[in-house]
Amino acid sequence: MDTIFRNLGWLLASRGINALLSLVYLALTTKTLGLENFGYFTLIVVLAQALAGFVSFNGWQAVVRWGVESAAARTATGFALALDLSSILVGIILSLGLAALAGYWLPLPDTLFWATFGLCTVTIMSIRSTPTGVLRLYERYDLAAKADAVLPVTRAVGALLATIFAPNVIGFVIAWGVAELVCAAAFWKYSARYVTIGLQDISLKHLPEQHPDVWKFILGTSLSRTLAVISKQCMILLVGALGGAALAGGYRVASQLGQALVQLGEALSRAIYPEFVRTKDAAIVLSNKITLLCLMTGAIAIPVAYWCGEWAILALAGPEFVFVHTAMVILAFAGALELLAANWESLLVARHKPITPFLCRVVPLILVISTMHFLITMWQLGGVAAGILMMSGLSAFGLGLAVSRQQSNEVQSTNDSIEAAKS
């Protein structure tokens, strides 16, 4: 438990810096661009993040799982790097087509084509799953936190420069692209201290030859990652496509302020997954303690969003964005449920059941996507937030049920072993 809290502490330190600085560049972008242009900027950034999420794999989990033995670290790292390079190659090709077609289904003007293509390409080239896995394998969460903090710091500086010298959508897009590259460089700089690989190590064959279940594991965890991308980034794109750029910008503000717990959930899952892998026998006990911590955190965050949310929106984004307050509170509730889901999902993946979280998330996601047009038509931004809440609630329920069944099966298996030993 001490290891989890130490690792979580470094991740939260990074997330804390990210959260504070994100408020800085949120204020700069919203007040400089206004509701409509901020919506355009949001759609470009989210489109780039969604593409990166779709084409990339959770290679860092493979590094943590199969790189524990020192002799296997190079093989696992080489495999993860080969995955990243494949993702970059495919992603750059898709960036061109996606940017060219974006104007047909998103409310983006043709003048933003090169900005869209450029940010998509840079975001793809900045994939950093492999160095992230290396730092977590060697439990250097302190270095990972430093590298992760480079992104919000560079964004904040870039946003300030854009506000002064290029107060338009393209200026902020350039700032975001530079921040991605600088953050990726920081991760590679720190990870290079621990694993050095040659060209012969970069292979999609070596690790699967030693561990035949690699591809099943990678595909299972990557499917869950893809669902996370759809439920976050693609949901904003869907809101923009159905409701326009202004509604997408409003949803972005409500989501960034209301779903801070989702960022905590991501940090939590990254901190506890390696510990679940290492402490298989005590994983259930650790998970139960984390669940209690999640409930306490959610009980604090939701009232804060309700009582302080409108003031925060006025201070950071301005009166033009006050209409997002109700959605922000609903999304805070959804974030609390995602915090629980992150804990249970990590436990299931560590127990070699990566497909189960995927199934627990895909059905609610399909349900929400199929009803999104109706929700936006009837209740605008509040309907979108209600859909996200329903999706998070159903996912958390399914994951909790799966963990409960897993625990019951393990207890039954232990009892059977004891009975067999006695007889």
Side-chain angles (χ1 to χ4, degrees), residues 6-15 17 128 131-152 182-195 270:
R6 184 177 66 251
N7 295 341
L8 182 59
W10 283 113
L11 285 168
L12 291 182
S14 171
R15 293 291 175 176
I17 295 173
R128 41 194 177 268
T132 299
V134 171
L135 293 176
R136 289 174 186 162
L137 173 64
Y138 290 93
E139 296 190 357
R140 293 311 308 262
Y141 284 78
D142 54 338
L143 296 180
K146 291 178 182 178
D148 213 20
V150 169
L151 183 64
V182 174
C183 182
F187 267 98
W188 281 108
K189 175 186 175 181
Y190 288 133
S191 66
R193 302 177 184 177
Y194 298 94
V195 177
R270 292 170 183 175

Side-chain angles (χ1 to χ4, degrees), residues 263-313:
Q263 293 190 3
L264 177 59
E266 291 173 351
L268 178 66
S269 65
R270 292 170 183 175
I272 62 179
Y273 172 73
E275 200 63 22
F276 282 158
V277 172
R278 295 187 181 96
T279 59
K280 296 179 181 179
D281 295 335
I284 292 292
V285 176
L286 291 175
S287 177
N288 291 338
K289 292 180 179 179
I290 295 295
T291 297
L292 181 60
L293 178 64
C294 293
L295 291 172
M296 294 170 59
T297 304
I300 295 173
I302 295 171
V304 169
Y306 179 79
W307 292 109
C308 304
E310 187 170 349
W311 172 84
I313 294 169

